[in-house]
Amino acid sequence: MESVLNYIEANKDRFLEELKEYLRIPSISNNPENRQDMLRCAHYLINQLKRIGMQQTQLFPTPGHPIVYGEWLGAPGQPTVLFYGHYDVQPVDPLELWVSPPFEPTIRNGELYARGAVDDKGQVQMNLKGVEAHLKATGSLPVNVKFLIEGEEEVGSGNLDSFIAAHPELLKADVVLISDSPMFDRGVPSICYGLRGLVYMQIDLKGTESDLHSGSFGGAVINPNFALAQIITQLKDGTGRVQIPGFYDDVLPLSDEEKEELGRLPFDETKYREDLGAPALFGEEGYGVLERLWVRPTLEVNGICGGFIGEGAKTVIPAKSMAKISMRLAPNQDPDKIAQLFEDYVKKIAPPSVELTITRMHGGKPWVAPIHHPAIQAAARALEKGFWKRPVYVREGGSIPVVATFQELLGLPSVLMGIGLPDENSHAPNERLDLFNFHQGIISSAWFFHEMKK
Ligand code: BES
Ligand code: MN
Ligand code: MN
């Protein structure tokens, strides 16, 4: 490993410059205007994969954005690590809140600011460079490596499951490695062994054909905004408990062992609240904050719109109203089943005086894994080498839908070695990546491949 580590040290500045190049490509997957940029980003990765020494690379078109693949299989008899990541990023709005432009990577106080810096380009780059260090410094890798980098994670990975189902041989491996999650805190290397699932729904209400004068018609017809508010308030009660019948049926209780582990994590509730700028925390009664985030499902209203929101006053009854509602699912809950329960319930509680349309958007299954798996232990040793500290075991409230797919379709366990920080603003303005973590993340990645060798 000495030559590998020396290589990483010697090429530190170039690695950063290359990350900046990667971050300059505005690969926003949900915006049709960025379609060419998405393609450009995919080609950029193909070139990267070639340059770091992959024996084969391939760009797979999909009905959406292309999937990038690369492999190095020069270690016969050794395990194969399938690395998964995504090159797409979230939209940048509200743009005016960015201190420096989102696609002009800028360093301030040891952090690199750019959209995608932590989610997920920076973390993908750590692993590309961890592999490069082995191949360039020693001409070889301790294990076989495959890269699968998609461009639709932020929009629900709609074309990935069918790709995986169609390419079981290509993706044959022993374990999946993912770096797309935060550490528990700065200086606390972490391995994530659980993710929540997701169901995303849109509710549209229509009252009348057209907007109406609220004097001429107010009192004769329903106001869809009001009907929407009534529906929303019946989704969750004042104690944070979701009211959809059957919603909690499949949620598993936390084992005593896990509860104990959770209690040992260095979590400071007051600091957490203050960092968020919240007057008080809120969540389901009877559960601690970490339990609410990682082990319990939730329901959120992502956005509401309808009627007049301009300046001044306008007397009007809107014709339509809309809400986007998502539910984070705990392990063992099934997205299809929850979507159905939601639909049945909303249909039941919606006033008959509005026309209701429910649309199901993307989603994904939850996941939880045993932490005693040898690959997870290899990651633990790698993180300890990279950060001089034993990692903690955490779950996360976010979702990476493909993790359950790898398990179900290919029987593959996943190791989530995330090197982000919880306050690095993923999905928000001023997304950033800690440059110390970037460097140590590359070192940890290099150690992981070393530790995976039989
Ligand atoms: N990297 C995140 C997933 C994540 C977030 C893992 C926080 C652990 C903690 C990923 O890019 C993401 O944003 N996923 C979406 C999935 C959705 C679009 C299906 C999410 O969680 O909202
Ligand atoms: Mn991500
Ligand atoms: Mn994301």
Side-chain angles (χ1 to χ4, degrees), residues 86 88 118-120 123 153-154 179-181 399-400 427:
H86 61 95
D88 63 327
V118 62
D119 186 11
D120 179 30
Q123 299 194 66
E153 198 275 343
E154 300 292 9
S179 294
D180 191 21
S181 51
S399 311
I400 308 175
H427 295 202

Side-chain angles (χ1 to χ4, degrees), residues 201-206 321-323 343 346-347 354-360:
M201 313 290 283
Q202 178 169 325
I203 297 180
D204 283 276
L205 298 184
K206 184 181 154 204
S321 181
M322 187 273 279
E343 213 173 310
V346 172
K347 277 185 184 152
V354 282
E355 197 180 299
L356 166 71
T357 312
I358 302 174
T359 313
R360 181 168 170 192

Side-chain angles (χ1 to χ4, degrees), residues 74-116:
Q78 291 298 331
T80 300
V81 175
L82 172 61
F83 175 83
Y84 163 84
H86 61 95
Y87 65 87
D88 63 327
V89 301
Q90 286 277 335
V92 296
D93 61 284
L95 187 59
E96 65 278 9
L97 295 185
W98 286 77
V99 175
S100 50
F103 297 108
E104 290 175 26
T106 308
I107 296 171
R108 289 192 292 278
N109 301 325
E111 316 232 33
L112 180 61
Y113 285 77
R115 171 56 90 226

Side-chain angles (χ1 to χ4, degrees), residues 422-441:
D423 65 353
E424 286 183 328
N425 293 344
S426 64
H427 295 202
N430 305 311
E431 180 176 351
R432 55 185 176 250
L433 178 70
D434 184 283
L435 290 178
F436 171 79
N437 287 349
F438 178 58
H439 186 64
Q440 302 311 125

